[in-house]
Amino acid sequence: MPEAPYGPYQGFTVPPMPSGPPPAPPSALRAAAVALLNLSGLGLGYALLRRWGPLALCLAATAVLLFVALPADADGLPTGVLVGYLVVLLLAAAHGARLGLRTPLSVRAPLALVLGLVLLAVPAGGALWYDGARAEAEQQALLGRLEKADDLVAAAGRHTFAASRADYRSALAVYRDLAVDHPGSRAADRGPARMRAYYSSVGAAYGRREYCVAVEPLQFLRTVPRTMPAGELGSLARWPDDRLATSLYECGKADLGDGGEAWTGRFRELLADFPGSPAAAKVVPAVDAAVRSAQQGVGGSAPCTAVDRLHTLDTRLTDLAASAGNASTDLTAAAARAGRGGDAGAYECGVDQYKDGDFAGARKSMQSYVSDTRSGGKRDRAKKIAIAAEVAQTLPAAGKKLPTTASGGSISVTVKNDSPHDITVLYTGPVTGSFTLKACGGCTAYSLTQTITPGFKPCSDSGRNYPQRTIQLPTGTTYFVHQPQGTGAGSPASDTAKIRSGYVYTECAYTTRTFGSGT
């Protein structure tokens, strides 16, 4: 066939141009490269695929993550944010792998795969960096807690322990939590040094020799080892012991010397908790000295105060000895010495009371002395002083002079009882004594009208045998008090008699129905 001539319009059809590059054959290598590049969090797999929308979404997710995560703090990322971001990365990797399976890349697949592997270091390195930053933030937070606890201790040290106890407890709780919950942290490593400062602050009163003030905080420090790990305290665990023992002794000794009441509690705690301490060994000498001082005070200007002190020491030392362990015997002996000293000192106390006009007190003291003392030269005079003090309670003039132990005289004085009651007759003056007359049988109390009738004279019935007693008195003024005995007997009656030579004296005791007894 003859060839057709060429020409532009001879019926040939030009095939249409394709709208895009033809699909590439499936490539697992491309898919893996895109997936790895998207796992970097930067969406670079989408960049090689020229998918700008998903790329923007990947970058936005990473930006949100960085906004939430930075700056790093001790608590780290919220779990929800971290999980959400990982889901985004996995979805981007899966989506990118699907697209890259049949879509050509702007670079060769092997190079993209290597680049993806290299860029995996970005999230891995970022995670490592963030973990380190978070750990540092945690360290700084713990150091911040430590600093606040230190500030509490410093502030507490400027006030009394009672006012600062809560702050000390709060600071201790922080130190304990750092040691127990965060061992190995920089804050925990500083714990031992902080505890030394803590102990010094709480026990500062001891350093100032304020021993009574120091007792309570030192007792508190002894409870610290119950909550703190032993390794955190070391020798501090025993730090308060000697100081507390010394404080208990010094505080108790000072209170003992001042005549207070708290010393028994201080010494009891000392002997119970630190029986072998040097401070405990000083307790018995201290109480012995207190007993000797009180005994010496009996001969001083305030014998009654010294007697009261001795009786108080007797009571409290007896009580202390009951729980004093090895010191019980010595304390019991000290208590006995105090008791004997108090009993013996009652005489000097009674004399002092008598001279001061405290006749009721003098009578009580002398009766106590007579009751507690079985022998001795003072016992007889104590009886006389007790009688004279009782007379002086009714006739104060009788108490101007202390009675002596003298007895007898040259002048007879007969005392008769014209009363239906027993009568105790007390008298004092140049001589002092007492006796009791039995009730008069058949005698009755006189009416007030009878006693004021002219010519009234009791003990005048010649046919009645009045109970009576005759005593011998020297010249001078003698004071009599007639005390009726028994229920309804009435009040004491009194008489002042000036005894002179050449006379015979008669005293008559009687009672009235209205105003009691008379002479």
Side-chain angles (χ1 to χ4, degrees):
M1 277 181 71
E3 294 181 355
Y6 289 96
Y9 304 100
Q10 297 185 10
F12 288 96
T13 302
V14 179
M17 293 297 293
S19 61
S27 172
L29 186 62
R30 279 197 314 270
V34 173
L36 288 175
L37 286 169
N38 281 353
L39 284 176
S40 68
L42 302 176
L44 293 180
Y46 288 127
L48 295 182
L49 293 172
R50 301 178 186 84
R51 298 296 181 98
W52 312 117
L55 170 62
L57 291 176
C58 285
L59 292 175
T62 300
V64 170
L65 176 71
L66 293 176
F67 178 80
V68 174
L70 298 178
D73 60 29
D75 294 331
L77 277 171
T79 303
V81 173
L82 182 59
V83 171
Y85 184 70
L86 290 177
V87 169
V88 169
L89 289 184
L90 293 175
L91 290 175
H95 183 244
R98 185 178 67 82
L99 294 177
L101 184 64
R102 295 183 178 276
T103 304
L105 305 179
S106 58
V107 298
R108 298 180 64 182
L111 179 60
L113 182 62
V114 172
L115 182 61
L117 290 173
V118 171
L119 289 179
L120 281 179
V122 173
L128 290 174
W129 173 87
Y130 183 80
D131 187 63
R134 184 203 58 77
E136 178 60 24
E138 181 180 10
Q139 292 287 341
Q140 291 301 322
L142 294 176
L143 288 172
R145 290 184 62 196
L146 179 65
E147 184 178 358
K148 289 182 179 179
D150 294 343
D151 291 343
L152 276 178
V153 173
R158 294 190 288 269
H159 305 284
T160 64
F161 176 76
S164 303
R165 182 192 292 270
D167 287 342
Y168 279 126
R169 288 191 182 278
S170 297
L172 181 63
V174 173
Y175 295 147
R176 180 177 57 249
D177 290 345
L178 291 175
V180 174
D181 298 335
H182 305 281
S185 66
R186 294 204 296 272
D189 290 343
R190 299 178 188 182
R194 293 302 195 273
M195 290 306 301
R196 287 192 292 272
Y198 181 85
Y199 271 65
S200 296
S201 178
V202 176
Y206 178 84
R208 298 191 298 266
R209 297 187 178 182
E210 298 173 0
Y211 297 112
C212 290
V213 177
V215 169
E216 186 179 4
L218 289 172
Q219 289 171 330
F220 170 78
L221 286 176
R222 292 192 77 211
T223 67
V224 172
R226 300 174 189 171
T227 56
M228 287 293 291
E232 290 295 309
L233 297 178
S235 61
L236 288 176
R238 309 301 300 174
W239 187 89
D241 291 355
D242 288 341
R243 291 169 174 79
L244 179 55
T246 299
S247 297
L248 288 169
Y249 170 73
E250 294 294 345
C251 181
K253 180 183 176 183
D255 188 67
L256 176 64
D258 293 340
E261 301 179 2
W263 62 270
T264 51
R266 300 301 189 195
F267 285 169
R268 181 178 290 106
E269 182 177 351
L270 172 59
L271 294 172
D273 294 345
F274 310 102
S277 66
K282 298 178 182 179
V283 170
V284 171
V287 298
D288 282 341
V291 172
R292 288 195 300 272
S293 176
Q295 288 174 326
Q296 293 169 358
V298 170
S301 60
C304 292
T305 300
V307 168
D308 290 341
R309 173 69 167 154
L310 286 166
H311 286 312
T312 299
L313 285 171
D314 179 15
T315 300
R316 293 183 178 164
L317 286 172
T318 299
D319 179 61
L320 178 60
S323 58
N326 294 334
S328 294
T329 301
D330 292 333
L331 291 173
T332 299
R337 288 194 298 275
R340 291 193 298 270
D343 292 343
Y347 179 85
E348 281 73 16
C349 174
V351 170
D352 188 68
Q353 291 169 317
Y354 193 95
K355 290 179 178 179
D356 289 342
D358 180 10
F359 300 120
R363 177 191 175 198
K364 182 178 179 181
S365 294
M366 289 306 179
Q367 288 175 335
S368 176
Y369 176 80
V370 171
S371 173
D372 295 332
T373 306
R374 299 306 176 190
S375 61
K378 296 179 180 179
R379 192 169 185 271
D380 290 339
R381 193 181 185 196
K383 293 179 181 179
K384 302 284 188 180
I385 294 174
I387 293 172
E390 191 168 359
V391 173
Q393 285 182 257
T394 302
L395 297 171
K400 291 181 179 180
K401 294 181 180 180
L402 278 169
T404 67
T405 56
S407 61
S410 60
I411 302 172
S412 296
V413 177
T414 300
V415 183
K416 297 181 180 181
N417 186 9
D418 188 2
S419 165
H421 305 283
D422 291 353
I423 296 291
T424 296
V425 179
L426 311 171
Y427 59 92
T428 188
V431 297
T432 301
S434 66
F435 56 87
T436 299
L437 294 176
K438 293 293 186 181
C440 173
C443 294
T444 61
Y446 292 97
S447 67
L448 179 60
T449 302
Q450 289 177 295
T451 62
I452 62 176
T453 299
F456 170 71
K457 189 175 183 181
C459 298
S460 59
D461 187 347
S462 58
R464 191 178 298 278
N465 185 20
Y466 296 104
Q468 60 183 287
R469 183 169 175 175
T470 299
I471 57 176
Q472 301 299 123
L473 298 177
T475 59
T477 301
T478 296
Y479 303 90
F480 289 90
V481 169
H482 302 160
Q483 288 186 338
Q485 307 297 311
T487 303
S491 302
S494 61
D495 183 32
T496 301
K498 295 183 178 180
I499 308 299
R500 293 180 292 176
S501 299
Y503 290 87
V504 176
Y505 294 88
T506 300
E507 285 278 322
C508 181
Y510 66 93
T511 57
T512 62
R513 287 192 291 270
T514 302
F515 296 105
S517 59
T519 58

